[in-house]
Amino acid sequence: MGVEVLMNVTPTESRVVLVENGILQEVHIERQLKRGLVGNIYMGKVSRVLPGMQAAFIDIGLDKAAFLHASDIVSRIDGEPLERDERPEPSITSLVRQGQHIMVQVVKDPLGTKGARLTTDITLPSRYLVFMPKSAHVGVSQRIDDNEERERLRNLAETLSTEDGHFIVRTAAEGNNDGALRSDADFLTRLWQQIKKRTKTQRKVGVLYEDLNLCCRVLRDFVGEPIERIRVDSRTTIEQLKQFTGDFIPELSTVLEYYTGDRPIFDLFDIENEIQRALDRRVGLKSGGSLIIDQTEAMTTIDINTGAFVGHRNLEETIFNTNIEATQAIARQLRLRNLGGIIIIDFIDMQNEEHKRRVLHSLEQALAKDRAKTSINGFTTLGLVEMTRKRTRESLEHVLCGECPVCRGRGSMKTVETVCYEILREIVRVHKAYEADKFVVYASAAVSDFLLNEESHTLAELEVFVSRQITVQTETLYNQEQFDVVMM
């Protein structure tokens, strides 16, 4: 069994999964009310310039102002755009001013409390090419190794380029004829002309161009994957995809299939349960070990435990085998959960330097299939592995889950004993500050039971101390940390 793509489409939500050899590898979710913004082009207005941060906040019509750094603004000297590594970084105040209208493109979706990340370096991708209106040079994907093919594609890209911009040749273009690339170039050129026309007529903040919907975008981005079958459970979507693949990715037209089975399409590979398991902290390994994955605002940490795995030889060999198995599981979980940013991996301590080298090599090989860019920095002096993974959209947990209203994201709650002792201290505090005839405590069932049973003697002693009656009442709607001390 090879690679399959399953698409579950409803009016409110589209879900696309990539399955390799029957195992879920990637999950992509787009909700109608929260469509991804990456690739969208906007007419924005500079709402605030921050010289100390070398950045500006841009109003593009969203709830949160978007962020534009000076390094993401295309600079020109004598009318010629400079490549990013050649550009000086002038002060942000010399690049933009408050109230200025500016055309920008989203490169990162809003994440948590952060607004979208923007660039003025506009790019328009298609099947084989990426059109860069403000670039002065052509480029060829580094994944194309053949020198003759690289030169052919570079010369063709030069020929196709116009005064409006130049092209970057994508990996999928390797081996394709000139006609296919010319068709792509014509499409992108026409698209850019339409965007320029809208720019002239639209002077208010708003969208100029929206990227493809999730289903079309995934097929465009999965180019190069050996996809054997694409199954879709929506008749409207399958017709749309047939049109899209016929125009841009004809080789995928033959693997499109309308799913009409009685079972939900995600039941075919137990996808729903796999998604639920991808939200758990603990990931079991076949050997009996486990991964503990914690996602925070600053970074993601992954801890490896041997668990019940005791091995058959010696401790060092047991640890090495567990770490090797963990590298495969880590690579899958990063893709499946779409974890990005800084990632710290705490492998089980190894004394053998050769074992460390082989574990790093295994991790690099496992991550080779990941389409997101990754960088591994090796073991630190504390024995941790530092790595990064490019993050352009929210993780699976952030898409499907929200903050717990009880713990407010801490991941833990105060114990019953802690809350009880807080209540007792609050009674003393209120008694010293105010005059009251008696006190009534409203608390959750667990806290009330603990006060009236295990801590009944303490409550009685407190009544004697404050010379007031204390009554405890259960409030069923309160969570474990909530309570009120009421004076009567």
Side-chain angles (χ1 to χ4, degrees), residues 259-272:
Y259 178 74
T260 57
D262 294 331
R263 299 167 59 197
I265 189 169
F266 276 12
D267 283 2
L268 297 180
F269 295 100
D270 198 29
I271 300 297
E272 300 289 6

Side-chain angles (χ1 to χ4, degrees), residues 280-422:
D280 293 339
R281 284 183 70 226
R282 185 183 181 278
V283 179
L285 302 177
K286 290 182 179 179
S287 63
S290 64
L291 309 179
I292 304 297
I293 302 175
D294 288 310
Q295 186 180 352
T296 68
E297 186 78 16
M299 67 182 71
T300 297
T301 61
I302 303 176
D303 184 44
I304 294 95
N305 299 315
T306 54
F309 184 43
V310 296
H312 303 291
R313 296 182 182 176
N314 55 51
L315 179 60
E316 184 67 22
E317 198 68 25
T318 300
I319 290 172
F320 171 67
N321 290 334
T322 304
N323 284 338
I324 287 291
E325 183 185 5
T327 60
Q328 308 300 314
I330 289 169
R332 176 176 178 256
Q333 291 299 322
L334 293 181
R335 290 177 69 189
L336 180 58
R337 300 173 187 234
N338 193 37
L339 298 173
I342 300 171
I343 299 163
I344 304 296
I345 306 173
D346 185 9
F347 285 103
I348 307 169
D349 289 342
M350 294 175 288
Q351 304 302 319
N352 190 315
E353 291 299 323
E354 175 63 15
H355 283 179
K356 288 183 179 181
R357 189 193 64 78
R358 289 169 63 183
V359 166
L360 279 179
H361 180 66
S362 177
L363 182 61
E364 290 170 354
Q365 284 190 315
L367 290 170
K369 293 182 179 180
D370 197 339
R371 291 180 298 108
K373 183 180 179 181
T374 58
S375 174
I376 304 174
N377 294 331
F379 283 92
T380 68
T381 53
L382 295 177
L384 306 173
V385 170
E386 297 176 346
M387 65 166 289
T388 59
R389 183 175 185 269
K390 187 175 181 180
R391 175 169 55 191
T392 56
R393 57 190 173 93
E394 290 191 300
S395 68
L396 186 65
E397 180 182 337
H398 284 158
V399 172
L400 298 180
C401 304
E403 184 180 85
C404 171
V406 178
C407 73
R408 298 187 181 277
R410 296 197 313 267
S412 60
M413 285 196 306
K414 293 177 182 177
T415 63
V416 171
E417 294 95 325
T418 300
V419 178
C420 286
Y421 301 151
E422 286 183 356

Side-chain angles (χ1 to χ4, degrees), residues 99-324:
Q100 176 185 352
H101 284 79
I102 184 171
M103 183 166 61
V104 291
Q105 186 172 35
V106 177
V107 292
K108 282 188 180 180
D109 280 325
L111 295 172
T113 58
K114 300 176 183 177
R117 179 76 181 254
L118 304 177
T119 181
T120 62
D121 208 352
I122 308 298
T123 58
L124 295 174
S126 68
R127 171 69 173 85
Y128 300 116
L129 302 171
V130 177
F131 183 55
M132 303 186 69
K134 296 182 179 181
S135 174
H137 306 285
V138 300
V140 179
S141 170
Q142 294 181 354
R143 294 187 179 182
I144 300 176
D145 298 324
D146 187 273
N147 290 331
E148 290 186 9
E149 180 67 359
R150 288 181 64 86
E151 190 62 27
R152 179 185 77 87
L153 294 173
R154 185 181 296 279
N155 292 336
L156 180 58
E158 288 279 8
T159 304
L160 297 174
S161 298
T162 66
E163 60 181 13
D164 279 337
H166 290 70
F167 293 95
I168 291 177
V169 182
R170 304 183 73 176
T171 308
E174 185 174 10
N176 283 277
N177 58 50
D178 294 3
L181 273 70
R182 290 184 185 278
S183 297
D184 260 21
D186 291 341
F187 166 75
L188 291 174
T189 303
R190 289 195 303 270
L191 179 59
W192 176 241
Q193 293 302 325
Q194 291 177 357
I195 293 172
K196 285 207 303 183
K197 285 182 181 178
R198 291 175 190 166
T199 305
K200 295 177 181 178
T201 58
Q202 179 176 316
R203 298 307 302 170
K204 62 180 182 179
V205 170
V207 64
L208 296 171
Y209 164 76
E210 281 190 304
D211 200 9
L212 300 169
N213 63 39
L214 177 66
C215 295
C216 294
R217 194 166 66 246
V218 163
L219 292 193
R220 181 193 70 193
D221 295 341
F222 278 178
V223 165
E225 298 280 352
I227 299 175
E228 293 187 357
R229 184 157 54 171
I230 302 168
R231 291 196 257 190
V232 189
D233 65 359
S234 164
R235 185 179 294 278
T236 303
T237 304
I238 193 72
E239 294 301 325
Q240 181 184 25
L241 292 178
K242 284 180 179 178
Q243 179 69 39
F244 176 74
T245 55
D247 292 340
F248 298 104
I249 321 175
E251 66 271 25
L252 290 184
S253 298
T254 56
V255 297
L256 280 174
E257 178 183 312
Y258 177 47
Y259 178 74
T260 57
D262 294 331
R263 299 167 59 197
I265 189 169
F266 276 12
D267 283 2
L268 297 180
F269 295 100
D270 198 29
I271 300 297
E272 300 289 6
N273 289 330
E274 283 290 327
I275 292 175
Q276 291 301 316
R277 284 191 282 270
L279 300 176
D280 293 339
R281 284 183 70 226
R282 185 183 181 278
V283 179
L285 302 177
K286 290 182 179 179
S287 63
S290 64
L291 309 179
I292 304 297
I293 302 175
D294 288 310
Q295 186 180 352
T296 68
E297 186 78 16
M299 67 182 71
T300 297
T301 61
I302 303 176
D303 184 44
I304 294 95
N305 299 315
T306 54
F309 184 43
V310 296
H312 303 291
R313 296 182 182 176
N314 55 51
L315 179 60
E316 184 67 22
E317 198 68 25
T318 300
I319 290 172
F320 171 67
N321 290 334
T322 304
N323 284 338
I324 287 291

Side-chain angles (χ1 to χ4, degrees), residues 443-457:
S444 65
V447 173
S448 297
D449 289 345
F450 196 83
L451 277 172
L452 295 173
N453 293 293
E454 285 84 346
E455 293 295 333
S456 58
H457 63 287

